[in-house]
Amino acid sequence: MKSFIAYIKSYITLSEEAEKEILEQVLVEEIPKGEQFLEEGKTCERLYFIAKGTVRTFHYQDGKDITYWIYPENMMITSWHSYILRKPASEYIETTEDSILLSLTYNQWQELYLKHPKLERFGRLVLEEQMSLLDDFFKGYYFLTAKEKYELLVNAFPTITQRANLGHIASMLGISQATLSRIRGK
């Protein structure tokens, strides 16, 4: 839980009272590798902090598993569209390593934001960071070569090739696993 509090404090000054309330409400879950904790069609009720492990978001298209994003520890994750708009998710979320996730529900965060306005700033800053990362990455789909996409990903997540399935990485980059192997071999 210390890593979660340190993460929040990297964005804002957190009062002792707010910290205590977060620690009283946070759900800590140990989730084994390969377990889905959100399915398409279900509304995502929680915003998660990855204390340990890696997690990916994906969907199925024509029966094929397509990875959107792979998240390392010390990041926040949710089905952003589902969580923010309170609508059914269009993706799945699963652990890709044995993981420890800390989370609060949407309603818990809303109550904390009202009671501790600095936490609202934290939420906004996390969302801005996530949106800028996704914006940079998805622009790359249109303008970057496969090699440049891979380099962008490795710069953002240096240990990804040791921690994530190469098939998931290739899917996320929109390239074949053979192309990824050639890029990595150079």
Side-chain angles (χ1 to χ4, degrees), residues 43-71:
T43 301
C44 188
E45 297 295 336
R46 296 187 162 275
L47 179 59
Y48 298 89
F49 175 77
I50 306 168
K52 178 185 174 226
T54 57
V55 174
R56 77 177 178 122
T57 56
F58 70 100
H59 74 281
Y60 289 102
Q61 183 176 4
D62 300 325
K64 188 176 177 183
D65 171 330
I66 308 291
T67 298
Y68 286 134
W69 200 256
I70 300 168
Y71 295 81

Side-chain angles (χ1 to χ4, degrees), residues 24-43:
E24 287 171 353
Q25 296 181 48
V26 72
L27 174 65
V28 179
E29 297 175 274
E30 292 187 30
I31 303 178
K33 176 182 179 177
E35 186 170 314
Q36 292 177 6
F37 57 95
L38 178 68
E39 295 178 5
E40 177 183 19
K42 297 197 174 172
T43 301

Side-chain angles (χ1 to χ4, degrees), residues 81-182:
H81 178 264
S82 176
Y83 177 81
I84 292 168
L85 299 179
R86 316 305 308 134
K87 293 186 174 190
S90 60
E91 73 261 24
Y92 296 81
I93 304 178
E94 79 173 0
T95 55
T96 56
E97 294 179 316
D98 290 341
S99 299
I100 298 174
L101 304 179
L102 288 72
S103 68
L104 294 162
T105 67
Y106 178 88
N107 290 335
Q108 287 171 319
W109 276 116
Q110 297 310 308
E111 289 174 22
L112 287 166
Y113 292 159
L114 287 172
K115 194 167 182 182
H116 305 284
K118 282 190 178 183
L119 281 173
E120 193 165 41
R121 177 174 167 76
F122 163 73
R124 180 181 55 81
L125 292 172
V126 166
L127 188 58
E128 287 175 358
E129 181 179 75
Q130 289 293 317
M131 294 303 108
S132 67
L133 284 171
L134 292 172
D135 185 53
D136 273 352
F137 185 78
F138 285 109
K139 281 179 185 168
Y141 265 74
Y142 298 106
F143 305 114
L144 300 177
T145 66
K147 183 176 190 230
E148 290 169 332
K149 289 177 191 179
Y150 176 73
E151 289 170 350
L152 177 67
L153 177 61
V154 170
N155 285 335
F157 185 0
T159 61
I160 193 165
T161 58
Q162 290 87 43
R163 305 201 46 208
N165 174 302
L166 293 180
H168 295 161
I169 294 170
S171 173
M172 181 176 157
L173 295 173
I175 62 177
S176 71
Q177 197 164 344
T179 299
L180 178 61
S181 292
R182 280 194 300 278

